[in-house]
Amino acid sequence: QAKLTGRNKYHFFDAGLDEEVRTHHNQRTEIRQALLAGEFRLYYQPKVNMRAGDVVGMEALLRWQHPRRGVLGPLQFLPMVEQTDLIIDIGEWVLRQALWQMQRWTAAGRHWIVSVNIAARHFQQADFVSRLKAILAEFPGVRASMLELEILESSALDDIEHVRRVMRACQQLGITFALDDFGTGYSSMSYLKRLPANILKIDQSFVRNMLNDRDDLHLVGAVIGLAKSFKLTVIAEGVETVAHGSRLMQMGCDLAQGYGIARPMPADAVLKWAAAFAPAPEWRAAATLSAA
Ligand code: C2E
Ligand code: MG
Ligand code: MG
Ligand code: MG
């Protein structure tokens, strides 16, 4: 009797699981087709130096220009493929697209560092460095030192030694590394000690509430302090207002990215945006104050 119930139960869940597997399979097929059909786009979000008042770089952010559903963000489709090799094909498409764009900007006299987010599975491939070298060689107009890779601390979870070696090998080519969403990971401190990062990106969840939450303010301050003592560059993401920026500058963080500066935009809008960019008057004031 009990066994029968168990079997029935099993069949019940099994059918549900089958359906789930089918749905995931269909979603992955659709995503692969979108890649082949050229429905992916890169948007770019500026990174600025609030003190100097200039644009220092761009972060490439993936979008899916879906024929029926409109523009989809990466969180709406990347999680479905993160555990499959499709994430590697997508990642390589992103790298090529970003390098192609950098080549155009360089030709237009804009020497921006462009950062690309790299998924853990992609980064952990044994041939990551050799394939990246080959991709870089396709774009002779771009120096590797203009490319920055953003990785999550959790990318290193599985094999920190391998990740470390890959980072070193890339850095030998001139590529720099940012630890994205810094502070949200399990053991940010031990990664900081063991991974040769160049840049810390303060997670936007801390930045967003820093003006009305003391704890978040202290966390932001702690990350800035860490970056300073490890001689790393620090950038705040999720800077939604001028006031956030001013406070960050007071705390010693001059680099920022966020809706308060610019939203991610299609590549063809970037040059025009950059030509019109001027730092907030409050930031100029803060810069002169602390220089005095
Ligand atoms: P991320 O790398 O931490 O990127 C920052 C995200 O915050 C972006 O979301 C950006 O649009 C958003 N953002 C920027 N400024 C603000 C702000 O002031 N306020 C708020 N609320 N949000 C802001 P997006 O484009 O949806 O990307 C989400 C995540 O998807 C990224 O987080 C990154 O982890 C991943 N991702 C994006 N593009 C790629 C890609 O090409 N490859 C891989 N593997 N992952 C990607
Ligand atoms: Mg990022
Ligand atoms: Mg981030
Ligand atoms: Mg994030």
Side-chain angles (χ1 to χ4, degrees), residues 34 52 105 117 142-143 152 154 160 176 187 204 221 235 239-240 273:
W105 282 332
N117 294 281
V142 178
R143 276 173 296 122
L152 297 167
S154 52
I160 200 160
T176 49
S187 44
Q204 52 179 284
I235 178 165
V239 175
E240 295 194 342
W273 175 87

Side-chain angles (χ1 to χ4, degrees), residues 31 39-41 43 61-66 69-80 259 264:
I31 294 168
E39 291 171 9
F40 286 154
R41 305 275 180 274
Y43 276 38
L61 295 160
L62 185 60
R63 298 289 181 268
W64 177 358
Q65 184 68 55
H66 195 285
R69 295 162 67 199
V71 181
L72 304 182
L75 301 179
Q76 292 171 278
F77 58 94
L78 280 189
M80 267 75 93
Y259 292 172

